[in-house]
């Protein structure tokens, strides 16, 4: 399989961003400036993300989804959600927990059903082996495009799903 160029993953990030923008507008009570304040960015950043002029960070992607009572999930080639059981550590921030959950899921997919080495996945994703190693060990977090490339290299995708009341209660 050829390495994934970043241009291959831009449509995936655009899809997620567009879904978040539509959900924000449908909500009706969340103008860009209010969302920006909640995410700790400028209203201009929200405008640039929603128009596709700029890519947002994976942390902001996770937090934006949460504001809308959504979360990023990993789905396999059959669109079935791949679950990674993980408890939130006391005092752990939501975005840190979600990033651990997402990266843990992808690590388990690689080690489990796919049984690929970090080098094989890195080549498919078009990143270095050390990037995969650092992401799996939580030494660093991938950019949003990197997370999408990593998932795609494992024949998975990132999608948005609704948060349940239980998940919201556990996280607060």
């Amino acid at each position: 399989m050829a390495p994934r160029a970043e241009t291959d993953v831009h449509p995936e990030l655009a899809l997620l961003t567009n879904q978040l923008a539509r959900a924000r507008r449908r909500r009706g009570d969340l103008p860009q400036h209010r969302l920006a304040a909640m995410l700790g960015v400028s209203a201009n950043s929200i405008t640039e993300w929603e128009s596709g002029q700029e890519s947002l960070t994976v942390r902001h992607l996770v937090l934006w989804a949460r504001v809308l009572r959504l979360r990023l999930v990993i789905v396999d080639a059959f669109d079935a959600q791949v679950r990674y059981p993980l408890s939130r550590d006391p005092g752990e921030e939501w975005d840190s927990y979600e990033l651990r959950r997402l990266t843990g899921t992808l690590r388990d997919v690689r080690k489990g059903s796919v049984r690929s080495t970090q080098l094989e996945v890195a080549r498919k994703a078009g990143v270095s082996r050390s990037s995969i190693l650092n992401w799996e060990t939580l030494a660093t977090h991938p950019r949003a495009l990197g997370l999408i490339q990593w998932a795609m290299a494992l024949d998975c995708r990132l999608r948005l799903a609704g948060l349940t009341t239980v998940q919201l209660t556990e996280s607060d």
Side-chain angles (χ1 to χ4, degrees):
M1 180 178 202
R4 298 209 185 270
E6 276 200 10
T7 55
D8 293 343
V9 298
H10 280 285
E12 291 287 318
L13 182 57
L15 174 69
L16 292 169
T17 304
N18 288 337
Q19 289 172 336
L20 289 169
R22 281 194 311 273
R24 181 191 64 77
R25 287 189 295 272
R26 268 195 317 268
R27 185 170 146 165
D29 67 341
L30 191 60
Q32 288 181 338
H33 70 275
R34 186 164 165 232
L35 175 62
M38 295 170 88
L39 299 181
V41 299
S42 70
N44 195 43
S45 291
I46 304 297
T47 300
E48 290 174 349
W49 296 341
E50 289 186 353
S51 67
Q53 294 173 338
E54 291 291 326
S55 294
L56 66 167
T57 67
V58 70
R59 178 180 172 274
H60 287 118
L61 188 62
V62 164
L63 292 173
W64 187 2
R66 181 167 191 244
V67 166
L68 298 169
R69 294 181 169 251
L70 300 169
R71 79 183 322 177
L72 290 171
V73 295
I74 308 290
V75 297
D76 64 17
F78 303 103
D79 271 341
Q81 185 175 337
V82 182
R83 298 193 184 274
Y84 178 69
L86 181 67
S87 297
R88 187 167 170 213
D89 294 336
E92 183 178 25
E93 295 294 326
W94 174 260
D95 56 321
S96 296
Y97 166 74
E98 286 291 281
L99 288 168
R100 276 193 319 118
R101 184 183 58 78
L102 291 166
T103 58
T105 301
L106 291 174
R107 182 192 61 235
D108 278 7
V109 168
R110 179 187 65 79
K111 288 180 171 183
S113 60
V114 176
R115 287 191 170 79
S116 294
T117 66
Q118 289 175 338
L119 182 59
E120 290 167 336
V121 172
R123 285 184 178 149
K124 288 179 186 177
V127 299
S128 69
R129 181 195 159 280
S130 64
S131 290
I132 300 295
L133 172 67
N134 287 333
W135 298 342
E136 286 188 357
T137 60
L138 302 173
T140 61
H141 295 298
R143 296 175 309 142
L145 289 173
L147 186 65
I148 292 168
Q149 285 173 276
W150 183 15
M152 290 174 75
L154 296 166
D155 294 321
C156 294
R157 299 283 184 273
L158 285 172
R159 294 294 179 252
L160 291 169
L163 277 172
T164 66
T165 305
V166 171
Q167 290 166 327
L168 285 170
T169 304
E170 289 175 352
S171 66
D172 293 328

